[in-house]
Amino acid sequence: MTSEMITYICKRTVVSTKPAQAGKCNPLSVFDRLMEKNHIRIVYYFPSTRNGEPGVVTKKLRESLSHVLTCFPIVTGRLQKKDDGHWMIKCNDAGVRMVEARAQGSVEEWLKNVNRDKELMLVTWEDMFHKPYFWATFYVQLTEFEEGGLAIGFSCSHLLADPTSATMFVKAWADTTLAGTMLAPPFFHPLPPPRLGNKNPNHNPYTDLINHYKSTIDDRSPAFTNNITNYVTATLAFSGPMVQACMLDTSRPSPFEAMAGLLWVCVSKVKGMKQGLISMSICLDMRKQLGLDKGFFGNCLVYNKVHHAESLLDKSELSEAARAVGESVTKMNNERIMDLIEWLEHHDYEFPPLMNGHDLICANLEDLDPYATLFEEGFVPIRVSYYVEPVFGIGQILVLQSPPSEGPLSRMVMVTLPADELSKLCDDDLILRFNPTILMG
Amino acid sequence: MPQTLPDFSNSVKLKYVKLGYQYLVNHILYLLLVPIMVAILIEVLRLGPDEILNLWKSLHFDLVQILCSSFLIIFIATVYFMSKPRHVYLVDYACYKPPVTCRVPFATFMEHSRLILKNNPKSVEFQMRILERSGLGEETCLPPAIHYIPPTPTMEAARGEAELVIFSAMDSLLQKTGLKPKDIDILIVNCSLFSPTPSLSAMVINKYKLRSNIKSFNLSGMGCSAGLISIDLARDLLQVHPNSNAVVVSTEIITPNYYQGNERAMLLPNCLFRMGGAAILLSNRRRNRSRAKYRLVHVVRTHKGADDKAYRCVFEEEDKEGKVGISLSKDLMAIAGEALKSNITTIGPLVLPASEQLLFLMTLIGRKIFNPKWKPYIPDFKQAFEHFCIHAGGRAVIDELQKNLQLSAEHVEASRMTLHRFGNTSSSSLWYEMSYIEEKGRMKKGDRVWQIAFGSGFKCNSAVWKCNKTIKTTTDNPWSDCIDRYPVHIPEIVKL
C-alpha cells in the first residue's frame, strides 16, 4: 500500500556551483568520531505552494542547493582515514545524493495517516559502503505531493553533523532559496583545544561523565545483538498550558527537565519497573557551554547518565525524576566537558561505540528552531520530525519544538520504543493527565 | 661559461640573417620597383618639360584608338570585379555557456562510474587514469540526463539537450548581432551523433519561425571537423546567393552517446566529451563589412578516408554486449599527424610568405636532387598567423600539433584552456578558443587566425580568418566570469 503511494522518479548527485579548493582536508573531532554508527534523518513538511506545475519546485530547490553547497565543502566531501587511523573529510567536491519522488494525495492527508515506517520512506539513506571514499554522507529527498505540498527529507551521517548542524544546513539552504544569501554562515573549526599550562593540582576531573563514556565505549553488546526488536515512534504534542502545568508539578524552571522527567517515569512504568526508574541518559547541545558560535558545524552533543535517588518516600516520583534530570543538566558545564574532551583525545578505541545503544536516551532538541526554515515567503513548515538512527537498547525520546502557532512553551516529543510498550505508554494515566495530542503512532 | 657565449652570438647573428632574408624575399617586388621608379624619375627630370611635351605630341593618338582602349580597359576591369569571389564576413558568433548546476567534478564522475560499472573495477580504473591525464578541469558540464544514477539517455532527453544548447546559442547570437529571424537566408546545423527526424535545422526553423524559402541543411555523422565543413558550405552558398545572411550552428549532443558498456577503447569519449555549442553569423552583405569581426580567407579540407586505417580509426560500433559506442584506435595520433601533413601541404602555398615557400622549395629540390639525407624543412607557420585555434580534441592532439608546428605555449594556450574549462565540445570548441583569444584582448585588426579541426573519417580541415577590426572585451560570452583565472597551469597528472 505504502509503496504505491510514493513513486521514485530519479536519483542524482548535486554538486556545488564553484569548484572546491583542491586538496583541502578537515579532520573530525573527538565528538564526531564517537557517532560513527549513527545517522540522522529529518523530515520537513511544507504546505501547498502557488506553483501548481509538478517538478518546478524541485528544480528550483535543486539549483539553490547547488549554490548553498559552495559554502559547505565538508558536506560535499568524502570520508577518508588519516595516517593515525582517525577519520577526516577530504573536500573533493563529490556532492550530495538527491532523490526525487512523487506521492499521491496531499500533505495534510499524509500527515493524518503517517507512522514511522511511512515517514522514513520520505528520507533516503544508504549505509556506509565498504569503501567509504565513494559513499555520500548527505542525502536529500524531495517528495512532491500530487494534490499539494512538499516533503523534504534530509539525512546525514552523524559523523559529520548533529541535529543542530543539520537543521542549520537546511536553514541555510532555505535562506539561499528565498533571498539568495545565508543569514547565518557556518563555522568550520575544531573544538576548543585543551587548556595549556598546569592545572590546579586539586582539580578533580569530573569522573562521572568520563565514566559514562568509558562504559559506553567498552560496552560491545549492541554490536552483537541482532536487533530484531520492532521499534515504533509516536509523536506526542503537549500544548503550552500543559507543559506549564507539568513544570509547576515538578517545580522545575525548564520545560525540558519537566518533560524528560515525565517521560522517564512513564517509560519506566511501561517497561515494568515497579519501583525506581530505568537507566536513562540525557543528550544536550554543548555549544553555549563551550563558547562556540551557534553556527559551529559538527558534533557538539554530549551524553550524560542521570542518577536518581533510590528512595522516594517523601517526594513524588515525577518531581524526583525531573530534579535528577535538572541536576544532570547543571553538572554539564564547561570545565567538565573540557575534561571529557581531553580524556577522549588521549583514549583511542578500536571499535566505534553506539552512544544510544543501551540506556533510554532523552535528547534536548528544543533550540533547533526548524520552523524558521522558509523556502518560500510565508510558507512555514507544518511539521518537522527528527530521527536519530539506528535505535538500540531501551528506546529514545526526542524533545522538540512545536510549530510556532502552538505557542513558545508547547513541546513535541518523539518517543521510540518497542511496539507493545509504546501503545501502553499512550494509554498511561500520568501521560494522559497532560492531555497530549497524538500526532503520529 | 665561455662555451655558451660563442653559441649565443652565433644564434643572434643567425637570427639577423634570417630576418634579413625574410624581409628581402617577402618584399622583393617593392625592392625591385623602387630603383626602377627612381630611374624613371631621374630620366624625366633630365629630359625637361619641353622634351616631354614633344614626346607626347609625336604619339599621334586619334579618337577611335582612345575610345577602343578605354572600352577595353573598362571591359577587363568589369570582368575582373564580377568574377572576384564574394567576400564572406563573420559578423559575430555566440558560444553556449552551460548552467553551473550541470557541472561535473572529477570526484562525481568517478563515483558515478563506480556505481554504474559495479562489476568492472578495471574499467573504472581505466577511466580514472584517463581523467587524471585528460587536461580537463573541474568545471566542465554534462547534460542533465547523464547526471542520473543510472543515466537516462532517452530521445526526449536528447531533444531537451538539443533545444537547451541550440536555442540558447541562437538567442545569444540574435541578441548580439541584432539579426531578425526573418533575415536568415541560409541555415546550416551540424551535430554528428544525434540526428532525429525532423532534423535539428527543422527544429530551429520551427522555434524561430524562419522564412519558408530558407535554404536549410543538416550535417550529421561528420565528426568534430563538421564545424569547418559547415563554414565551407556556407561560403559556397554565399557565392551563389548575393546579399545573404547564413547562420551556422555547431554542436554535439552528448545525451544519446553516453557509452554504458565496458570496452576500454569506447570509454574514452565518456571522459572527454562535454556539453557545448556555438552559433555563427556569416554574411556577404556590403553593409556588414564594417561591423564584421572577421573575413573568411581560406578553407582547406583534407580527407584521408581512402586509406583503410584512417577510415576505421574513429569508428562507431556495437561492443560484445551489443552496446553502441565510439571506438578510438591506438594509431589515432599517427593518422592525425599524416592528415595534418596533407592539409599543411595544401594550405602552405596559400598562406606562407614567399620567404618560407622559397626555403621549402629549395630544401625539397635539394633532397630530391642532391642529398636525400637533408632534413625536411618544416615551414614556420608562426609567420603566417598570429593566432592558432587547434581543436581541443584531447591533450594528446594539442601536444602533437604543438610539436609538429613548433608552436610556443602561448600559441596553444587558447586550446589548452578551452579543454580545461569546457572539455572537448567537438565542433564548437574552435569557437570557444576564438572567444578566449578575444576576451584576453589579443585580437587586433589584421591578425590572421588559423582554425584546425580533426574528425572521424579521417578528416583534417582548416579555416583561415583575417580580423577585420580590433575586438574589445565584452561580458556576454562564456569566459566572462572566469577569464581572469586563466591561464592556469595544468599538471601532467591530477591526483584524484
Side-chain angles (χ1 to χ4, degrees), chain A residues 10-13 15-19 78 92-94 97 134, chain B residues 100-101 103 105 107-108 111-112 114-115 138-139 147-149 496:
Chain A
C10 67
K11 177 160 94 160
R12 63 172 102 196
T13 307
V15 300
S16 56
T17 48
K18 292 203 177 59
R78 292 292 180 261
N92 66 353
D93 226 3
R97 294 274 182 268
F134 303 102
Chain B
V100 208
T101 45
R103 189 169 81 88
T108 317
E111 255 180 47
H112 279 226
R114 212 164 253 280
L115 291 169
E138 300 267 4
E139 291 179 86
H147 286 260
Y148 293 119
I149 303 168
L496 283 183

PDB file of all heavy atoms in Angstrom, chain A residues 10-13 15-19 78 92-94 97 134, chain B residues 100-101 103 105 107-108 111-112 114-115 138-139 147-149 496:
ATOM      1  N   CYS A  10      13.812   9.694  -9.763  1.00  0.00           N
ATOM      2  CA  CYS A  10      15.205   9.572 -10.179  1.00  0.00           C
ATOM      3  C   CYS A  10      16.118   9.800  -8.992  1.00  0.00           C
ATOM      4  O   CYS A  10      15.712  10.319  -7.957  1.00  0.00           O
ATOM      5  CB  CYS A  10      15.544  10.584 -11.272  1.00  0.00           C
ATOM      6  SG  CYS A  10      15.504  12.269 -10.684  1.00  0.00           S
ATOM      7  N   LYS A  11      17.360   9.423  -9.182  1.00  0.00           N
ATOM      8  CA  LYS A  11      18.402   9.680  -8.173  1.00  0.00           C
ATOM      9  C   LYS A  11      19.558  10.339  -8.900  1.00  0.00           C
ATOM     10  O   LYS A  11      19.930   9.911  -9.982  1.00  0.00           O
ATOM     11  CB  LYS A  11      18.851   8.348  -7.565  1.00  0.00           C
ATOM     12  CG  LYS A  11      19.974   8.485  -6.565  1.00  0.00           C
ATOM     13  CD  LYS A  11      20.047   7.276  -5.679  1.00  0.00           C
ATOM     14  CE  LYS A  11      21.039   6.277  -6.218  1.00  0.00           C
ATOM     15  NZ  LYS A  11      21.493   5.347  -5.197  1.00  0.00           N
ATOM     16  N   ARG A  12      20.095  11.385  -8.321  1.00  0.00           N
ATOM     17  CA  ARG A  12      21.245  12.014  -8.976  1.00  0.00           C
ATOM     18  C   ARG A  12      22.151  12.630  -7.919  1.00  0.00           C
ATOM     19  O   ARG A  12      21.885  12.559  -6.742  1.00  0.00           O
ATOM     20  CB  ARG A  12      20.788  13.072  -9.960  1.00  0.00           C
ATOM     21  CG  ARG A  12      20.059  14.197  -9.313  1.00  0.00           C
ATOM     22  CD  ARG A  12      19.803  15.293 -10.288  1.00  0.00           C
ATOM     23  NE  ARG A  12      18.451  15.303 -10.786  1.00  0.00           N
ATOM     24  CZ  ARG A  12      18.064  15.959 -11.861  1.00  0.00           C
ATOM     25  NH1 ARG A  12      18.941  16.615 -12.571  1.00  0.00           N
ATOM     26  NH2 ARG A  12      16.829  15.952 -12.255  1.00  0.00           N
ATOM     27  N   THR A  13      23.231  13.229  -8.384  1.00  0.00           N
ATOM     28  CA  THR A  13      24.160  13.884  -7.460  1.00  0.00           C
ATOM     29  C   THR A  13      24.096  15.381  -7.706  1.00  0.00           C
ATOM     30  O   THR A  13      24.104  15.822  -8.844  1.00  0.00           O
ATOM     31  CB  THR A  13      25.606  13.397  -7.713  1.00  0.00           C
ATOM     32  OG1 THR A  13      25.604  11.983  -7.673  1.00  0.00           O
ATOM     33  CG2 THR A  13      26.546  13.947  -6.677  1.00  0.00           C
ATOM     34  N   VAL A  15      26.048  18.938  -7.120  1.00  0.00           N
ATOM     35  CA  VAL A  15      27.368  19.449  -6.745  1.00  0.00           C
ATOM     36  C   VAL A  15      27.272  20.951  -6.534  1.00  0.00           C
ATOM     37  O   VAL A  15      26.305  21.585  -6.919  1.00  0.00           O
ATOM     38  CB  VAL A  15      28.421  19.131  -7.834  1.00  0.00           C
ATOM     39  CG1 VAL A  15      28.535  17.662  -8.042  1.00  0.00           C
ATOM     40  CG2 VAL A  15      28.093  19.822  -9.113  1.00  0.00           C
ATOM     41  N   SER A  16      28.324  21.510  -5.952  1.00  0.00           N
ATOM     42  CA  SER A  16      28.336  22.948  -5.688  1.00  0.00           C
ATOM     43  C   SER A  16      28.543  23.711  -6.995  1.00  0.00           C
ATOM     44  O   SER A  16      28.953  23.144  -7.993  1.00  0.00           O
ATOM     45  CB  SER A  16      29.450  23.280  -4.713  1.00  0.00           C
ATOM     46  OG  SER A  16      30.680  22.816  -5.222  1.00  0.00           O
ATOM     47  N   THR A  17      28.286  25.010  -6.977  1.00  0.00           N
ATOM     48  CA  THR A  17      28.418  25.785  -8.205  1.00  0.00           C
ATOM     49  C   THR A  17      29.865  26.184  -8.462  1.00  0.00           C
ATOM     50  O   THR A  17      30.268  26.349  -9.596  1.00  0.00           O
ATOM     51  CB  THR A  17      27.572  27.061  -8.166  1.00  0.00           C
ATOM     52  OG1 THR A  17      27.815  27.719  -6.928  1.00  0.00           O
ATOM     53  CG2 THR A  17      26.097  26.736  -8.259  1.00  0.00           C
ATOM     54  N   LYS A  18      30.656  26.343  -7.402  1.00  0.00           N
ATOM     55  CA  LYS A  18      32.063  26.684  -7.621  1.00  0.00           C
ATOM     56  C   LYS A  18      32.922  25.498  -7.184  1.00  0.00           C
ATOM     57  O   LYS A  18      32.642  24.879  -6.163  1.00  0.00           O
ATOM     58  CB  LYS A  18      32.450  27.906  -6.788  1.00  0.00           C
ATOM     59  CG  LYS A  18      31.789  29.179  -7.243  1.00  0.00           C
ATOM     60  CD  LYS A  18      32.607  30.398  -6.790  1.00  0.00           C
ATOM     61  CE  LYS A  18      32.039  31.684  -7.273  1.00  0.00           C
ATOM     62  NZ  LYS A  18      30.660  31.949  -6.839  1.00  0.00           N
ATOM     63  N   PRO A  19      34.013  25.221  -7.906  1.00  0.00           N
ATOM     64  CA  PRO A  19      34.837  24.079  -7.504  1.00  0.00           C
ATOM     65  C   PRO A  19      35.441  24.317  -6.120  1.00  0.00           C
ATOM     66  O   PRO A  19      35.795  25.433  -5.778  1.00  0.00           O
ATOM     67  CB  PRO A  19      35.942  24.039  -8.559  1.00  0.00           C
ATOM     68  CG  PRO A  19      35.532  24.940  -9.633  1.00  0.00           C
ATOM     69  CD  PRO A  19      34.532  25.906  -9.098  1.00  0.00           C
ATOM     70  N   ARG A  78      34.273  13.647   1.064  1.00  0.00           N
ATOM     71  CA  ARG A  78      34.150  12.228   1.318  1.00  0.00           C
ATOM     72  C   ARG A  78      35.064  11.818   2.463  1.00  0.00           C
ATOM     73  O   ARG A  78      36.109  12.427   2.691  1.00  0.00           O
ATOM     74  CB  ARG A  78      34.531  11.426   0.059  1.00  0.00           C
ATOM     75  CG  ARG A  78      33.560  11.586  -1.084  1.00  0.00           C
ATOM     76  CD  ARG A  78      32.236  10.953  -0.773  1.00  0.00           C
ATOM     77  NE  ARG A  78      31.264  11.088  -1.844  1.00  0.00           N
ATOM     78  CZ  ARG A  78      30.299  12.001  -1.870  1.00  0.00           C
ATOM     79  NH1 ARG A  78      30.184  12.866  -0.894  1.00  0.00           N
ATOM     80  NH2 ARG A  78      29.446  12.029  -2.867  1.00  0.00           N
ATOM     81  N   ASN A  92      36.612  16.884  -1.705  1.00  0.00           N
ATOM     82  CA  ASN A  92      36.882  16.618  -3.114  1.00  0.00           C
ATOM     83  C   ASN A  92      35.717  16.971  -4.018  1.00  0.00           C
ATOM     84  O   ASN A  92      35.717  16.612  -5.182  1.00  0.00           O
ATOM     85  CB  ASN A  92      37.241  15.131  -3.291  1.00  0.00           C
ATOM     86  CG  ASN A  92      36.056  14.223  -2.987  1.00  0.00           C
ATOM     87  OD1 ASN A  92      35.014  14.674  -2.534  1.00  0.00           O
ATOM     88  ND2 ASN A  92      36.214  12.934  -3.225  1.00  0.00           N
ATOM     89  N   ASP A  93      34.704  17.660  -3.464  1.00  0.00           N
ATOM     90  CA  ASP A  93      33.680  18.196  -4.356  1.00  0.00           C
ATOM     91  C   ASP A  93      32.760  17.140  -4.944  1.00  0.00           C
ATOM     92  O   ASP A  93      32.175  17.349  -6.002  1.00  0.00           O
ATOM     93  CB  ASP A  93      34.378  18.891  -5.547  1.00  0.00           C
ATOM     94  CG  ASP A  93      33.757  20.221  -5.826  1.00  0.00           C
ATOM     95  OD1 ASP A  93      32.843  20.607  -5.076  1.00  0.00           O
ATOM     96  OD2 ASP A  93      34.178  20.863  -6.800  1.00  0.00           O
ATOM     97  N   ALA A  94      32.634  15.978  -4.297  1.00  0.00           N
ATOM     98  CA  ALA A  94      31.878  14.908  -4.958  1.00  0.00           C
ATOM     99  C   ALA A  94      30.372  15.150  -4.937  1.00  0.00           C
ATOM    100  O   ALA A  94      29.673  14.631  -5.787  1.00  0.00           O
ATOM    101  CB  ALA A  94      32.204  13.565  -4.315  1.00  0.00           C
ATOM    102  N   ARG A  97      23.795  13.220  -2.593  1.00  0.00           N
ATOM    103  CA  ARG A  97      22.844  12.464  -3.418  1.00  0.00           C
ATOM    104  C   ARG A  97      21.468  13.068  -3.248  1.00  0.00           C
ATOM    105  O   ARG A  97      21.064  13.409  -2.137  1.00  0.00           O
ATOM    106  CB  ARG A  97      22.755  11.000  -2.969  1.00  0.00           C
ATOM    107  CG  ARG A  97      23.985  10.233  -3.165  1.00  0.00           C
ATOM    108  CD  ARG A  97      24.128   9.627  -4.551  1.00  0.00           C
ATOM    109  NE  ARG A  97      25.364   8.870  -4.543  1.00  0.00           N
ATOM    110  CZ  ARG A  97      26.546   9.355  -4.911  1.00  0.00           C
ATOM    111  NH1 ARG A  97      26.634  10.571  -5.403  1.00  0.00           N
ATOM    112  NH2 ARG A  97      27.625   8.614  -4.810  1.00  0.00           N
ATOM    113  N   PHE A 134      33.804   6.502  -1.570  1.00  0.00           N
ATOM    114  CA  PHE A 134      32.838   6.710  -2.659  1.00  0.00           C
ATOM    115  C   PHE A 134      31.417   6.747  -2.122  1.00  0.00           C
ATOM    116  O   PHE A 134      30.461   6.612  -2.874  1.00  0.00           O
ATOM    117  CB  PHE A 134      32.977   5.589  -3.689  1.00  0.00           C
ATOM    118  CG  PHE A 134      34.372   5.504  -4.229  1.00  0.00           C
ATOM    119  CD1 PHE A 134      35.248   4.545  -3.787  1.00  0.00           C
ATOM    120  CD2 PHE A 134      34.820   6.427  -5.145  1.00  0.00           C
ATOM    121  CE1 PHE A 134      36.555   4.496  -4.255  1.00  0.00           C
ATOM    122  CE2 PHE A 134      36.111   6.394  -5.624  1.00  0.00           C
ATOM    123  CZ  PHE A 134      36.971   5.424  -5.168  1.00  0.00           C
TER     124      PHE A 134
ATOM    125  N   VAL B 100      25.695  26.332 -14.322  1.00  0.00           N
ATOM    126  CA  VAL B 100      26.645  25.852 -13.316  1.00  0.00           C
ATOM    127  C   VAL B 100      26.165  24.575 -12.657  1.00  0.00           C
ATOM    128  O   VAL B 100      26.941  23.788 -12.146  1.00  0.00           O
ATOM    129  CB  VAL B 100      26.867  26.905 -12.216  1.00  0.00           C
ATOM    130  CG1 VAL B 100      28.228  26.752 -11.624  1.00  0.00           C
ATOM    131  CG2 VAL B 100      26.716  28.282 -12.779  1.00  0.00           C
ATOM    132  N   THR B 101      24.848  24.368 -12.657  1.00  0.00           N
ATOM    133  CA  THR B 101      24.313  23.189 -11.980  1.00  0.00           C
ATOM    134  C   THR B 101      24.574  21.910 -12.765  1.00  0.00           C
ATOM    135  O   THR B 101      24.340  20.824 -12.265  1.00  0.00           O
ATOM    136  CB  THR B 101      22.803  23.341 -11.762  1.00  0.00           C
ATOM    137  OG1 THR B 101      22.234  23.819 -12.975  1.00  0.00           O
ATOM    138  CG2 THR B 101      22.514  24.336 -10.659  1.00  0.00           C
ATOM    139  N   ARG B 103      27.541  21.113 -13.728  1.00  0.00           N
ATOM    140  CA  ARG B 103      28.975  20.902 -13.563  1.00  0.00           C
ATOM    141  C   ARG B 103      29.263  19.473 -13.134  1.00  0.00           C
ATOM    142  O   ARG B 103      28.502  18.881 -12.362  1.00  0.00           O
ATOM    143  CB  ARG B 103      29.452  21.874 -12.479  1.00  0.00           C
ATOM    144  CG  ARG B 103      30.915  21.969 -12.314  1.00  0.00           C
ATOM    145  CD  ARG B 103      31.214  23.153 -11.417  1.00  0.00           C
ATOM    146  NE  ARG B 103      31.055  22.838 -10.027  1.00  0.00           N
ATOM    147  CZ  ARG B 103      32.007  22.324  -9.257  1.00  0.00           C
ATOM    148  NH1 ARG B 103      33.181  22.063  -9.788  1.00  0.00           N
ATOM    149  NH2 ARG B 103      31.792  22.064  -8.002  1.00  0.00           N
ATOM    150  N   PRO B 105      32.358  17.595 -11.388  1.00  0.00           N
ATOM    151  CA  PRO B 105      33.727  17.499 -10.861  1.00  0.00           C
ATOM    152  C   PRO B 105      34.257  16.077 -11.060  1.00  0.00           C
ATOM    153  O   PRO B 105      33.477  15.140 -11.226  1.00  0.00           O
ATOM    154  CB  PRO B 105      33.552  17.790  -9.376  1.00  0.00           C
ATOM    155  CG  PRO B 105      32.167  18.281  -9.206  1.00  0.00           C
ATOM    156  CD  PRO B 105      31.363  17.773 -10.338  1.00  0.00           C
ATOM    157  N   ALA B 107      35.497  13.991  -8.960  1.00  0.00           N
ATOM    158  CA  ALA B 107      35.071  13.037  -7.933  1.00  0.00           C
ATOM    159  C   ALA B 107      33.679  12.501  -8.247  1.00  0.00           C
ATOM    160  O   ALA B 107      33.404  11.316  -8.082  1.00  0.00           O
ATOM    161  CB  ALA B 107      35.095  13.703  -6.568  1.00  0.00           C
ATOM    162  N   THR B 108      32.783  13.382  -8.681  1.00  0.00           N
ATOM    163  CA  THR B 108      31.419  12.948  -9.004  1.00  0.00           C
ATOM    164  C   THR B 108      31.437  11.997 -10.187  1.00  0.00           C
ATOM    165  O   THR B 108      30.750  10.970 -10.190  1.00  0.00           O
ATOM    166  CB  THR B 108      30.539  14.160  -9.350  1.00  0.00           C
ATOM    167  OG1 THR B 108      30.804  15.195  -8.435  1.00  0.00           O
ATOM    168  CG2 THR B 108      29.087  13.798  -9.316  1.00  0.00           C
ATOM    169  N   GLU B 111      32.660   8.633  -9.039  1.00  0.00           N
ATOM    170  CA  GLU B 111      31.677   7.936  -8.204  1.00  0.00           C
ATOM    171  C   GLU B 111      30.562   7.342  -9.051  1.00  0.00           C
ATOM    172  O   GLU B 111      30.152   6.206  -8.850  1.00  0.00           O
ATOM    173  CB  GLU B 111      31.059   8.909  -7.198  1.00  0.00           C
ATOM    174  CG  GLU B 111      31.588   8.702  -5.820  1.00  0.00           C
ATOM    175  CD  GLU B 111      30.996   9.648  -4.826  1.00  0.00           C
ATOM    176  OE1 GLU B 111      29.770   9.828  -4.817  1.00  0.00           O
ATOM    177  OE2 GLU B 111      31.782  10.196  -4.047  1.00  0.00           O
ATOM    178  N   HIS B 112      30.079   8.121  -9.986  1.00  0.00           N
ATOM    179  CA  HIS B 112      29.017   7.621 -10.858  1.00  0.00           C
ATOM    180  C   HIS B 112      29.505   6.427 -11.662  1.00  0.00           C
ATOM    181  O   HIS B 112      28.803   5.429 -11.798  1.00  0.00           O
ATOM    182  CB  HIS B 112      28.546   8.734 -11.812  1.00  0.00           C
ATOM    183  CG  HIS B 112      27.584   9.668 -11.191  1.00  0.00           C
ATOM    184  ND1 HIS B 112      26.418  10.072 -11.808  1.00  0.00           N
ATOM    185  CD2 HIS B 112      27.594  10.283 -10.002  1.00  0.00           C
ATOM    186  CE1 HIS B 112      25.774  10.902 -11.022  1.00  0.00           C
ATOM    187  NE2 HIS B 112      26.456  11.044  -9.914  1.00  0.00           N
ATOM    188  N   ARG B 114      31.749   4.355 -10.847  1.00  0.00           N
ATOM    189  CA  ARG B 114      31.850   3.230  -9.934  1.00  0.00           C
ATOM    190  C   ARG B 114      30.487   2.618  -9.659  1.00  0.00           C
ATOM    191  O   ARG B 114      30.330   1.415  -9.540  1.00  0.00           O
ATOM    192  CB  ARG B 114      32.446   3.722  -8.624  1.00  0.00           C
ATOM    193  CG  ARG B 114      33.276   2.767  -7.883  1.00  0.00           C
ATOM    194  CD  ARG B 114      34.068   3.534  -6.853  1.00  0.00           C
ATOM    195  NE  ARG B 114      35.433   3.609  -7.259  1.00  0.00           N
ATOM    196  CZ  ARG B 114      36.320   2.622  -7.109  1.00  0.00           C
ATOM    197  NH1 ARG B 114      35.943   1.490  -6.573  1.00  0.00           N
ATOM    198  NH2 ARG B 114      37.557   2.765  -7.496  1.00  0.00           N
ATOM    199  N   LEU B 115      29.476   3.469  -9.514  1.00  0.00           N
ATOM    200  CA  LEU B 115      28.143   2.953  -9.211  1.00  0.00           C
ATOM    201  C   LEU B 115      27.536   2.252 -10.420  1.00  0.00           C
ATOM    202  O   LEU B 115      26.793   1.296 -10.283  1.00  0.00           O
ATOM    203  CB  LEU B 115      27.218   4.110  -8.776  1.00  0.00           C
ATOM    204  CG  LEU B 115      27.543   4.724  -7.426  1.00  0.00           C
ATOM    205  CD1 LEU B 115      26.751   6.003  -7.217  1.00  0.00           C
ATOM    206  CD2 LEU B 115      27.220   3.749  -6.313  1.00  0.00           C
ATOM    207  N   GLU B 138      37.651  21.134 -13.417  1.00  0.00           N
ATOM    208  CA  GLU B 138      36.526  20.716 -12.579  1.00  0.00           C
ATOM    209  C   GLU B 138      35.236  21.424 -12.933  1.00  0.00           C
ATOM    210  O   GLU B 138      34.248  21.289 -12.230  1.00  0.00           O
ATOM    211  CB  GLU B 138      36.866  21.007 -11.103  1.00  0.00           C
ATOM    212  CG  GLU B 138      38.093  20.300 -10.593  1.00  0.00           C
ATOM    213  CD  GLU B 138      37.758  18.985  -9.928  1.00  0.00           C
ATOM    214  OE1 GLU B 138      36.586  18.593  -9.939  1.00  0.00           O
ATOM    215  OE2 GLU B 138      38.677  18.352  -9.409  1.00  0.00           O
ATOM    216  N   GLU B 139      35.260  22.227 -13.995  1.00  0.00           N
ATOM    217  CA  GLU B 139      34.060  22.996 -14.303  1.00  0.00           C
ATOM    218  C   GLU B 139      33.389  22.586 -15.597  1.00  0.00           C
ATOM    219  O   GLU B 139      32.477  23.255 -16.050  1.00  0.00           O
ATOM    220  CB  GLU B 139      34.416  24.487 -14.384  1.00  0.00           C
ATOM    221  CG  GLU B 139      34.792  25.051 -13.033  1.00  0.00           C
ATOM    222  CD  GLU B 139      35.155  26.501 -13.134  1.00  0.00           C
ATOM    223  OE1 GLU B 139      34.262  27.339 -13.076  1.00  0.00           O
ATOM    224  OE2 GLU B 139      36.363  26.787 -13.288  1.00  0.00           O
ATOM    225  N   HIS B 147      23.440  13.002 -15.464  1.00  0.00           N
ATOM    226  CA  HIS B 147      23.690  13.132 -14.032  1.00  0.00           C
ATOM    227  C   HIS B 147      22.920  12.105 -13.219  1.00  0.00           C
ATOM    228  O   HIS B 147      23.163  11.937 -12.037  1.00  0.00           O
ATOM    229  CB  HIS B 147      23.269  14.526 -13.553  1.00  0.00           C
ATOM    230  CG  HIS B 147      24.202  15.602 -13.976  1.00  0.00           C
ATOM    231  ND1 HIS B 147      25.160  16.128 -13.158  1.00  0.00           N
ATOM    232  CD2 HIS B 147      24.341  16.247 -15.155  1.00  0.00           C
ATOM    233  CE1 HIS B 147      25.822  17.057 -13.799  1.00  0.00           C
ATOM    234  NE2 HIS B 147      25.358  17.147 -15.012  1.00  0.00           N
ATOM    235  N   TYR B 148      21.930  11.451 -13.851  1.00  0.00           N
ATOM    236  CA  TYR B 148      21.135  10.497 -13.096  1.00  0.00           C
ATOM    237  C   TYR B 148      21.922   9.228 -12.832  1.00  0.00           C
ATOM    238  O   TYR B 148      22.825   8.870 -13.560  1.00  0.00           O
ATOM    239  CB  TYR B 148      19.869  10.122 -13.876  1.00  0.00           C
ATOM    240  CG  TYR B 148      18.896  11.250 -14.037  1.00  0.00           C
ATOM    241  CD1 TYR B 148      18.547  11.709 -15.294  1.00  0.00           C
ATOM    242  CD2 TYR B 148      18.321  11.862 -12.937  1.00  0.00           C
ATOM    243  CE1 TYR B 148      17.650  12.740 -15.453  1.00  0.00           C
ATOM    244  CE2 TYR B 148      17.426  12.895 -13.090  1.00  0.00           C
ATOM    245  CZ  TYR B 148      17.091  13.332 -14.352  1.00  0.00           C
ATOM    246  OH  TYR B 148      16.206  14.352 -14.508  1.00  0.00           O
ATOM    247  N   ILE B 149      21.540   8.553 -11.739  1.00  0.00           N
ATOM    248  CA  ILE B 149      22.126   7.248 -11.451  1.00  0.00           C
ATOM    249  C   ILE B 149      21.015   6.234 -11.608  1.00  0.00           C
ATOM    250  O   ILE B 149      20.145   6.160 -10.741  1.00  0.00           O
ATOM    251  CB  ILE B 149      22.668   7.184 -10.014  1.00  0.00           C
ATOM    252  CG1 ILE B 149      23.697   8.283  -9.784  1.00  0.00           C
ATOM    253  CG2 ILE B 149      23.275   5.832  -9.708  1.00  0.00           C
ATOM    254  CD1 ILE B 149      24.059   8.463  -8.331  1.00  0.00           C
ATOM    255  N   LEU B 496      43.610  12.089  -8.143  1.00  0.00           N
ATOM    256  CA  LEU B 496      42.198  12.034  -7.762  1.00  0.00           C
ATOM    257  C   LEU B 496      42.031  11.410  -6.390  1.00  0.00           C
ATOM    258  O   LEU B 496      42.619  10.376  -6.132  1.00  0.00           O
ATOM    259  CB  LEU B 496      41.422  11.208  -8.787  1.00  0.00           C
ATOM    260  CG  LEU B 496      41.125  11.919 -10.108  1.00  0.00           C
ATOM    261  CD1 LEU B 496      40.298  11.045 -10.984  1.00  0.00           C
ATOM    262  CD2 LEU B 496      40.389  13.219  -9.847  1.00  0.00           C
TER     263      LEU B 496
END
